[in-house]
Amino acid sequence: MKIDKKDIQRAEIFKVLSDPNRLQMIRILYQAHRELTCGEVGEKLDLSKSTVSYHFKKLRKVGLTNTRKEAQIKYLSLNMDTFEKYLPGFLAVL
């Protein structure tokens, strides 16, 4: 039996979400209902901008977040399409 491509992607997503800081970041973005900067997220978690940036890079690589850069500021948001496709209902239980 072949493994479904969606299941492979889900497994990658779950690996990334196994870090509690990343789960908190997803929760913060979801509850904000708007784009946030790395600095804003870092303040809420008491993490440095570089640490937040590292975690968001992991989240972005599996498609869970979007990053928009304006000048030197990075704005972060959830990629709702990925959540709907691979993790329907996940955000509702955060």
Side-chain angles (χ1 to χ4, degrees), residues 5 43 73:
K5 287 183 181 184
E43 285 174 17
I73 300 172

Side-chain angles (χ1 to χ4, degrees), residues 8-30:
I8 293 169
Q9 181 63 22
R10 276 189 197 96
E12 290 301 313
I13 289 170
F14 286 131
K15 282 182 203 174
V16 170
L17 290 176
S18 68
D19 185 294
N21 284 317
R22 294 182 195 138
L23 279 175
Q24 278 291 95
M25 292 174 172
I26 294 295
R27 184 177 291 119
I28 289 166
L29 284 175
Y30 180 68

Side-chain angles (χ1 to χ4, degrees), residues 5 11 20 29 31 50-51 68 70 82 86:
K5 287 183 181 184
L29 284 175
Q31 292 173 348
S50 62
T51 300
R68 178 178 65 85
E70 192 172 297
T82 299
Y86 296 103

Side-chain angles (χ1 to χ4, degrees), residues 30-48:
Y30 180 68
Q31 292 173 348
H33 300 289
R34 64 178 179 89
E35 291 179 319
L36 296 175
T37 66
C38 281
E40 289 174 308
V41 174
E43 285 174 17
K44 291 179 184 287
L45 293 174
D46 197 27
L47 297 173
S48 70

